[in-house]
Amino acid sequence: MKYMILTYASQQDYDGMGGKDTGKPAWTAEDFAAMGAFMEKFNNDLVESGELVETRALAAPVLTRRLGSKDGSSVVTDGPYAETQEVLAGYWIVECDSFDRATEIAARLGDTPAPEFVRATAYADIRPIVEGQEDLVG
């Protein structure tokens, strides 16, 4: 079974990682390097176990475009969006034996080095990937 592990961030988080003033302590170069080293090892461990299908980080919300409609016309809006504090920051697709195993994998993300104020609000979602229409009904 395949599962998607999703992580979230805000524009403020991206700004802090980039060293910009956010009203909270900025990430240090050491913080950023530690996170990068952790993610590299996390990904390599999944490759070695044969469970990694794909992983990607996503660019900052300020680089996002949202498509919708209003009064029957298409509307394109550039980000970030005041109404959205958190956005998808990255994902992993893993193929493993069970939902419990996917949860174990995602739980390791809790060990990601980061400033404590970031760790205090970090979370991940784990969702089974639908392979066919019959999987849509929960």
Side-chain angles (χ1 to χ4, degrees):
M1 181 83 185
K2 291 181 185 168
Y3 300 89
M4 182 176 267
I5 300 168
L6 306 118
T7 57
Y8 300 88
S10 67
Q11 183 63 48
Q12 185 179 44
D13 294 327
Y14 281 89
D15 289 346
M17 284 189 288
K20 293 181 183 174
D21 182 13
T22 65
K24 295 182 180 177
W27 286 56
T28 65
E30 292 80 15
D31 290 334
F32 197 70
M35 181 192 67
F38 176 90
M39 289 298 175
E40 184 174 348
K41 180 174 180 351
F42 180 81
N43 294 338
N44 287 337
D45 289 349
L46 291 172
V47 168
E48 288 175 15
S49 72
E51 294 171 306
L52 183 65
V53 175
E54 179 178 355
T55 185
R56 300 282 182 210
L58 300 175
V62 71
L63 301 173
T64 302
R65 285 192 178 150
R66 177 169 289 164
L67 284 83
S69 64
K70 184 172 182 174
D71 300 325
S73 297
S74 294
V75 177
V76 178
T77 307
D78 290 329
Y81 312 101
E83 70 277 9
T84 305
Q85 292 299 312
E86 295 175 333
V87 296
L88 185 62
Y91 67 89
W92 291 260
I93 297 175
V94 296
E95 188 165 8
C96 53
D97 294 334
S98 67
F99 208 164
D100 288 340
R101 175 61 184 143
T103 302
E104 289 172 10
I105 293 168
R108 290 181 46 211
L109 291 169
D111 296 330
T112 304
E116 191 53 41
F117 72 91
V118 173
R119 292 172 53 86
T121 59
Y123 65 93
D125 291 335
I126 306 108
R127 295 179 63 183
I129 293 179
V130 173
E131 298 289 345
Q133 187 174 4
E134 65 280 357
D135 294 337
L136 287 174
V137 179

